Amino acid sequence: MDYGLKGKRAVVLGASRGLGAASAVLLAAEGAQVIAVSRSGKVPEGAAGDIKGRALDLSDQAAVAAFAPELAGAGIDILVNNCGGPKAGPARGQSRDNWQAAFDAMALPVFALTEAVIGPMTERGWGRIVTIGSSGVEMPIPGLALSNGIRASVAGWSKTLAAEVAASGVTVNMVLPGRIDTERVAELDAGKASKLGKTAEEVAAASRATIPAGRYGRPEEFAAAVAFLCSAPASYITGSMIRVDGGLIGSL
């Protein structure tokens, strides 16, 4: 299938590793001109094609505000929003500062940078906004209260925006990963193992047992869903949340 991405200009946030990196690499392979944004500004490993790194700390509000006008004038066709998750922890006992910090790092950059590109996209009559969320949006993950709460707010924003711009040729969707074999998931497994007095492999094995596919997903499998939603053939899919979770969530 021709995704129709040759020459399209794409920005992928959080693109130094994991899901963001895999998405940036695949979009570049499909012919898009990709700006891979991360704290380090490094181009993701395995990248080929037209892909450039751009350093940006998404938790730095001043830096994000300075970057927004640059994006607004860059003719961006595709924005893949991806922000790292906060520390694990329960819902009880979270301070206001913890909630504010999580919102500032995970939601505000997404809102601000999408706002920068959405106007030019609607004027040109074509655009793709894809936000990487979490399966915790549909089934909250125990011990990840901050992530569950903030990502749910981003999901509400995404659905609202999708309806506002659908008639302008711009689609807005979310992709929800389950247990994908990334450094983030490995860190969460290691943290849980430490608390339970088990090995990380024991925790991972228990987690795999809850997934009908019987394994963790691969980043490139997740990226395939992102790339499709960014494609020309996906022009009638908007306001949707697509799960890539090996059947983990027990609902349609």
Side-chain angles (χ1 to χ4, degrees):
M1 178 184 293
D2 181 2
Y3 278 13
L5 297 180
K6 290 181 176 62
K8 295 295 186 184
R9 297 181 178 180
V11 172
V12 181
L13 307 182
S16 64
R17 66 176 192 169
L19 305 180
S23 299
V25 168
L26 184 52
L27 288 174
E30 289 292 330
Q33 301 170 11
V34 178
I35 301 172
V37 176
S38 67
R39 284 192 182 93
S40 68
K42 294 180 179 179
V43 172
E45 292 184 10
D50 191 348
I51 184 167
K52 297 178 176 64
R54 174 62 156 81
L56 178 68
D57 183 350
L58 294 174
S59 66
D60 184 336
Q61 295 183 46
V64 171
F67 186 48
E70 181 181 331
L71 281 191
I76 302 303
D77 301 296
I78 296 165
L79 175 62
V80 178
N81 290 310
N82 177 44
C83 294
K87 292 182 179 179
R92 293 182 63 188
Q94 294 291 348
S95 67
R96 183 187 186 282
D97 287 346
N98 286 347
W99 281 108
Q100 188 67 60
F103 191 80
D104 289 350
M106 297 172 60
L108 290 184
V110 169
F111 300 161
L113 296 180
T114 300
E115 183 67 22
V117 301
I118 200 74
M121 284 180 178
T122 58
E123 291 173 5
R124 293 193 302 273
W126 201 98
R128 301 288 184 265
I129 306 293
V130 177
T131 300
I132 297 175
S134 165
S135 61
V137 170
E138 294 195 347
M139 187 173 76
I141 301 169
L144 292 181
L146 293 173
S147 178
N148 294 335
I150 302 303
R151 294 196 195 280
S153 72
V154 173
W157 161 85
S158 181
K159 183 67 173 180
T160 304
L161 179 62
E164 293 177 359
V165 300
S168 299
V170 179
T171 66
V172 183
N173 294 289
M174 291 188 73
V175 186
L176 309 183
R179 306 292 287 182
I180 309 295
D181 190 11
T182 63
E183 292 180 35
R184 165 71 172 168
V185 168
E187 290 164 359
L188 291 173
D189 284 349
K192 185 174 182 180
S194 178
K195 290 181 180 179
L196 297 177
K198 297 183 177 181
T199 67
E201 176 51 36
E202 287 174 328
V203 168
S207 183
R208 288 194 294 269
T210 68
I211 303 170
R215 63 178 177 86
Y216 285 179
R218 298 186 296 274
E220 58 269 25
E221 292 176 310
F222 180 87
V226 172
F228 176 71
L229 290 175
C230 293
S231 72
S235 58
Y236 203 58
I237 302 174
T238 195
S240 294
M241 293 194 300
I242 308 299
R243 292 198 307 264
V244 183
D245 67 355
L248 174 65
I249 302 301
S251 65
L252 294 175

